[in-house]
Amino acid sequence: MEKKEGVFYDIWGDNVNLKDLLISIVLSIALTLGGYIIAPNEPPMPLVFGLTGGIIAFIISSILIKPKRKITTETEDND
C-alpha cells in the first residue's frame, strides 16, 4: 500500500506540502513566543529565550517532517 503524499504548492521556488508547512510555522511561533513570554524581564533575556525557542522549534520540525524529494542522477553515455 502506497503512502499518499498530498498536494504540493510552489513557495519560493520549492514544492512544499501545506500540512507540513503549517505544522512547522505553528510550532515555531509557539516555541519562540513562549520562550519570549516566560523569560525574565531583564534586557537580553527575552531575546535569548526567544531565539532558543526558535532553535528548538527548528530541531523538532526537522525531526518530525522528513524530506519528500527523490533525487535521481543521470549520466551521459559516450558510445
Side-chain angles (χ1 to χ4, degrees):
M1 187 165 157
E2 251 181 71
K3 183 179 177 184
K4 188 174 181 181
E5 293 295 329
V7 178
F8 291 94
Y9 295 93
D10 185 41
I11 298 178
W12 291 327
D14 199 4
N15 294 323
V16 296
N17 186 332
L18 191 59
K19 178 186 165 197
D20 291 342
L21 179 65
L22 291 176
I23 289 171
S24 178
I25 289 173
V26 168
L27 187 64
S28 296
I29 290 172
L31 290 179
T32 302
L33 190 58
Y36 178 79
I37 290 173
I38 67 168
N41 202 11
E42 299 169 10
M45 286 295 138
L47 175 66
V48 171
F49 277 57
L51 289 174
T52 303
I55 292 170
I56 292 170
F58 172 75
I59 293 169
I60 293 172
S61 293
S62 66
I63 291 171
L64 290 179
I65 302 169
K66 299 297 179 193
K68 293 163 185 65
R69 292 185 180 159
K70 294 178 182 167
I71 299 174
T72 58
T73 57
E74 295 180 13
T75 58
E76 188 175 318
D77 289 336
N78 292 330
D79 289 335

